[in-house]
Amino acid sequence: QDYNCDSKESFYIGPLEETATPVVLNQWPSRDVLPSWRNTMEIFYRKLLLAGKRLVSLIALALNLDEDFFEKVGALDKPMSFLRLLHYPGDMGSFNEEIYGASAHSDYGMITLLATDGVPGLQVCREKSKQPRVWENVLHVDGALIVNIGDMMERWTNCLFRSTLHRVMPAGKERYSAAFFLDPNQDCLVECLESCCSASSPPRYPPIRSGDYLKEKLRLTYAS
Ligand SMILES: O=C(O)CCC(=O)C(=O)O
Ligand SMILES: [Fe+2]
């Protein structure tokens, strides 16, 4: 996964004071410049966290687990959730195939909730292990969120829920989006669910601590 050519720029908002441990790292624009921005973003963050938790409990039910399964394994008590506000420039310079808004990747966490401004560009690949890859446009629905499955949900479910391979193509038009990554508590052990493996379908991934997985992915992403 190569992000070097990506043209996007982003602003990250991490865990808010009530959920953040051990330190609060968020940096907010000055209130003189943007008086209500912080409050608006905090409300947005909390709503996304609530919606994300509800969706995760539906995934648990779909897996024949208790509704609060992911709470019970400690994934959601101090979730490492990040809200990423994204901007893709309209003019990407030369229209070179190498330049993506965002190159093909899957998100790392449990699920991602994505709001876009309706400018096209987002594409998903349903069968990521098949070559050549077939990309489909994700249609915008006003007022709806797009939900992507993340890598750790894929690991928990032994690929029953595949993480969504996606990318953003340049639309020749400025584009804004907001992605909320619901990532488990750093200490949470992500291991194949009993209901998702059997003698004929053994676990495909070893257990891993969520924090270690994220650290390694971020290291690889930003290595260069
Ligand atoms: O902007 C989008 O629609 C997608 C953003 C994305 O995939 C990401 O930030 O991980
Ligand atoms: Fe993504």
Side-chain angles (χ1 to χ4, degrees), residues 5 10 16 26 28 46 64 84 87 91-92 95 103 121 124 129 134 147 170 181 202 208 212 218 220:
C5 296
S10 58
L16 306 183
N26 285 328
W28 301 98
R46 287 191 196 102
N64 289 323
R84 183 188 207 191
H87 172 244
D91 174 18
M92 309 253 215
F95 256 73
S103 45
V124 292
S129 49
V134 178
V147 181
F181 306 102
I208 193 164
D212 294 336
L218 293 173
L220 292 173

Side-chain angles (χ1 to χ4, degrees), residues 153-168:
M153 194 56 83
E154 174 170 299
R155 295 178 77 101
W156 254 311
T157 64
N158 210 20
C159 299
L160 195 61
F161 282 57
R162 307 303 307 270
S163 60
T164 322
L165 189 68
H166 57 285
R167 68 181 186 184
V168 180

Side-chain angles (χ1 to χ4, degrees), residues 1 3 104-108 128 149-151 163-166 217:
Q1 296 176 6
Y3 287 78
H105 68 281
S106 52
D107 299 337
Y108 312 146
K128 57 187 173 181
I149 304 286
D151 296 340
S163 60
T164 322
L165 189 68
H166 57 285
K217 289 299 259 188

